[in-house]
Amino acid sequence: GAIFFGRKPGSPWNDERVRRALAMSMDADLWGDNYSNRAKFEAEGLPVNTAWFARAGPGYSWWLDPQKDELGSATKYLRYDPAEAKKLIQAAGVSTPIRQTYHFVPNPGRDPLYQAMLGIYEANGDFKFDQQAHPDFNLYLTQIRNTGGGFDGISVSFYFDHHDYDWTMYLAYHPSSTDFWMGKANEDPKMTDFVNRQRRELDNKKREQIFQDFVRYDIEKMYYIPYHFPVDFQPYFVAQPWVGGWGWWQPYIEQNPAGGGQILSQYWYDESKRTT
C-alpha cells in the first residue's frame, strides 16, 4: 500500500521537496510504539518486534532496514526530522500550513490508525488536512483512486504485501495498472523499467538486487509515501496448540490470517499436539 497524491497542475505534491517533507514529518517510532501496544505487552514480559516500512515490508528477504542505514542517502527521508522538513518546504516556496484534503473510505478497524498518522503529520504546523469520507467505494474508485492523480489532496491505498513483490510493484508503478496513481503524464521511465526488468530476471539473487535498487530510488523520489502504515509489527495470536504454521516463512507477511489466498497455504493440523 501507499499514501498517494493528487497530481493536478499546481498541486504542491508535484514538488518532490514537499513530498519528502511530509515523509520526514512522520515519527515512526511514536506511531509504532502506540499501535503495537508495546508498553503493555512488554510489561507482561511479551516482546514486541517492530520494523519500519521502506516501500516493502520486513517480511521480504531483501528488505532494506532504514534504521540500519541500508537505503544509503535516501534513509534520511524516512527519519523524523521536522526541522529539515520545514527547510524543504521553504525551499519549495510553498506557504504553510499546506492545507490539503485527506480522502478515505470509512473503515472502523483502520481509521484510528490513519487518524493518528495525520495527527503526527500535522504536529509541526507545516501541514493541515481536511477530511472527506467516501462511503460509496465505487465512487471513491472513480473519483479518487483510479484517476491517475486527478484529484486534490491525498489518500491511502491499503493492501497486504504479496509473497511475490511483483504484485505490489506492478500495481503502484506500471502505467498499465489502474493503481498507477502518478498518472501517465508523470510516468518515470526508470520506474517502469524496474518493473519490467524484475519480471524478466530468472536469477532470484539478481532479481532481489533489482528490488533493492528500486527501493533506494523510490525513497529518493518519494512519488508516494512508501507505506500505508509507517511501521509493521508482529502480532500475537491465540490458537489451539494443534494449529501449526504461525509465521512459518515470512512472519510479517504470513501472520495476517486475512491475507488473500494465504490461509490454506499457511496453517496445518498437527496431530501430535492434539489433546482432545
Side-chain angles (χ1 to χ4, degrees):
I3 297 174
F4 60 99
F5 304 105
R7 299 297 296 273
K8 288 182 177 180
S11 169
W13 308 119
N14 290 335
D15 192 316
E16 66 184 22
R17 292 170 295 188
V18 179
R19 302 193 300 266
R20 289 168 174 171
L22 182 65
M24 296 171 79
S25 300
M26 171 51 61
D27 187 337
D29 287 332
L30 174 63
W31 187 93
D33 284 349
N34 275 277
Y35 282 95
S36 65
N37 210 13
R38 181 191 296 278
K40 289 186 178 180
F41 275 117
E42 293 189 345
E44 298 295 328
L46 297 169
V48 174
N49 297 318
T50 64
W52 290 11
F53 254 85
R55 175 57 61 204
Y60 295 105
S61 61
W62 50 267
W63 168 69
L64 297 173
D65 187 348
Q67 293 175 288
K68 296 180 180 178
D69 288 331
E70 291 179 352
L71 288 99
S73 62
T75 300
K76 61 180 176 289
Y77 299 125
L78 291 178
R79 288 199 174 133
Y80 180 56
D81 193 342
E84 186 61 28
K86 192 175 291 289
K87 291 178 184 178
L88 287 172
I89 293 172
Q90 290 171 347
V94 181
S95 60
T96 56
I98 298 173
R99 194 172 195 116
Q100 292 280 288
T101 299
Y102 166 64
H103 300 270
F104 68 102
V105 176
N107 183 310
R110 293 196 294 262
D111 285 345
L113 285 75
Y114 291 134
Q115 298 292 339
M117 287 170 57
L118 292 175
I120 294 173
Y121 284 136
E122 292 179 334
N124 196 39
D126 290 328
F127 298 95
K128 179 65 178 176
F129 293 101
D130 301 316
Q131 300 188 29
Q132 176 64 56
H134 296 263
D136 188 317
F137 184 62
N138 289 321
L139 288 178
Y140 168 77
L141 291 177
T142 58
Q143 295 175 358
I144 306 296
R145 178 162 170 162
N146 295 350
T147 63
F151 69 98
D152 294 312
I154 69 169
S155 189
V156 179
S157 171
F158 182 96
Y159 41 75
F160 299 113
D161 282 334
H162 195 276
H163 295 287
D164 190 324
Y165 191 70
D166 170 77
W167 183 78
T168 306
M169 189 182 190
Y170 168 81
L171 285 176
Y173 273 114
H174 200 282
S176 66
S177 164
T178 55
D179 286 2
F180 186 60
W181 303 295
M182 293 160 59
K184 293 183 179 179
N186 295 303
E187 179 190 1
D188 183 336
K190 186 171 181 177
M191 281 299 194
T192 307
D193 184 59
F194 275 127
V195 178
N196 293 334
R197 278 197 291 127
Q198 61 84 17
R199 286 187 161 190
R200 293 192 298 262
E201 183 55 68
L202 301 180
D203 183 297
N204 190 55
K205 288 298 182 184
K206 292 180 179 178
R207 188 167 180 249
E208 289 188 347
Q209 184 61 58
I210 294 172
F211 284 141
Q212 290 182 330
D213 290 343
F214 152 76
V215 168
R216 292 187 181 97
Y217 182 69
D218 174 76
I219 302 303
E220 189 78 32
K221 302 300 292 184
M222 203 63 69
Y223 290 122
Y224 316 125
I225 301 296
Y227 47 71
H228 52 257
F229 298 141
V231 172
D232 203 354
F233 42 88
Q234 290 178 298
Y236 283 96
F237 290 96
V238 178
Q240 295 287 351
W242 41 264
V243 177
W246 297 105
W248 66 279
W249 179 38
Q250 291 173 303
Y252 282 91
I253 297 176
E254 295 228 38
Q255 283 198 358
N256 193 313
Q262 294 180 17
I263 294 178
L264 295 181
S265 66
Q266 178 182 351
Y267 307 126
W268 60 82
Y269 175 91
D270 189 341
E271 178 61 33
S272 66
K273 295 181 179 179
R274 180 77 174 182
T275 57
T276 58

